[in-house]
Amino acid sequence: MTEAAPAERPLAFHHTPGTGPTIVFLPGYASDMTGSKALATEAWAREQGRAFIRFDYGGCGQSPGAFEDQTLALWRDDALAILDHAVEGPVVLVGSSMGGWIMLLAARDRPDRVVGLVGIAPAPDFTDWGFTPEEKMTMLTQGRLEKPSPYSDQPTVTTRAFWSSGEANRLMHAIIPVDVPVRLIQGQQDTDVPFQRTVHLASVLRSAEVQTWLVKDGDHRLSRPQDIALILRAIEDVIR
């Protein structure tokens, strides 16, 4: 484990040296860098001799901080800190779920560094469409929302601060200024991110080099062996 600058917000990350561009894995909401997709991509990168980095956002995994103090903007800045302080040269961003939103923000903010994007069930703007009006009202009036998680025995907590930060960083109301090759991988059985949203995301990306790969029997995790193989193929695609 290594810590990335800036020192006032240290981040835990694992870096695998190799040839560039460096592949940077961005986890989803309430996830960390030890997920199966991140580890499988790291193992593949090591076999291929490719540079790879996985990291934990502040308040997640091995990075210090309280989870409920975090916002989307802070996590976006964590991703930018990794690009600015832990990686040299061009990068390919691989974003899972919420990581797909942060991937797009980082690509917009560092166009000179990002040369390719792979979104895995990407969830940009989910603070807008991912909650009912009643759930949004709960966050606004009570400061936090707890929902049962299908992926953990602990409930998923979303704070008013995170929700407000997400609303301030929505992307899909206009053309997203990304001009690099993009691959979007989306399960059609995903109950968290409707596949129609990913099809729409492809249409608002400015790049002409965008492909959407629909997995008819795929769910939100996309972590089966055949899903991992598709993700690795997508990474090879944008690098090529």
Side-chain angles (χ1 to χ4, degrees), residues 1-235:
M1 186 186 84
T2 317
E3 291 189 344
E8 67 270 14
R9 193 169 163 86
L11 300 171
F13 70 91
H14 285 267
H15 179 246
T16 300
T19 59
T22 300
I23 301 158
V24 182
F25 193 93
L26 305 169
Y29 187 82
S31 186
D32 61 37
M33 63 175 168
T34 63
S36 58
K37 293 186 288 291
L39 295 178
T41 307
E42 180 182 62
W44 170 83
R46 190 176 289 116
E47 290 170 4
Q48 299 289 320
R50 292 203 167 275
F52 175 83
I53 195 163
R54 57 187 170 93
F55 73 100
D56 285 331
Y57 308 116
C60 299
Q62 300 173 57
S63 288
F67 178 79
E68 291 193 32
D69 291 340
Q70 310 306 312
T71 66
L72 184 81
L74 284 172
W75 287 344
R76 173 206 61 204
D77 291 348
D78 288 343
L80 295 175
I82 290 291
L83 298 190
D84 293 344
H85 301 288
V87 184
E88 293 183 355
V91 297
V92 168
L93 303 181
V94 181
S96 177
S97 192
M98 181 201 71
W101 189 354
I102 293 176
M103 167 187 83
L104 295 169
L105 293 168
R108 179 198 66 187
D109 293 347
R110 296 292 186 273
D112 56 327
R113 299 289 308 286
V114 178
V115 298
L117 300 176
V118 175
I120 308 163
D125 298 11
F126 77 84
T127 48
D128 175 39
W129 51 261
F131 299 95
T132 66
E134 293 76 18
E135 289 170 340
K136 292 177 183 178
M137 187 56 64
T138 297
M139 281 186 279
L140 288 172
T141 57
Q142 300 181 21
R144 67 197 299 275
L145 171 73
E146 285 192 12
K147 292 177 70 173
S149 170
Y151 312 110
S152 169
D153 54 3
Q154 298 297 315
T156 299
V157 175
T158 311
T159 65
R160 177 172 54 207
F162 180 89
W163 181 82
S164 298
S165 180
E167 290 296 273
N169 285 279
R170 283 162 57 182
L171 287 168
M172 293 181 63
H173 57 279
I175 295 298
I176 301 172
V178 166
D179 298 302
V180 298
V182 182
R183 298 293 180 268
L184 305 174
I185 305 171
Q186 177 65 51
Q188 290 187 263
Q189 306 305 315
D190 189 335
T191 57
D192 293 318
V193 178
F195 74 88
Q196 294 90 344
R197 292 204 166 271
T198 299
V199 173
H200 177 59
L201 170 61
S203 74
V204 297
L205 289 167
R206 191 167 65 192
S207 173
E209 179 45 40
V210 178
Q211 295 180 16
T212 306
W213 298 357
L214 297 178
V215 183
K216 188 171 184 178
D217 63 346
D219 61 11
H220 188 61
R221 289 174 182 264
L222 289 176
S223 57
R224 302 168 301 177
Q226 63 266 39
D227 302 325
I228 298 291
L230 201 60
I231 292 165
L232 299 179
R233 195 176 106 203
I235 296 170

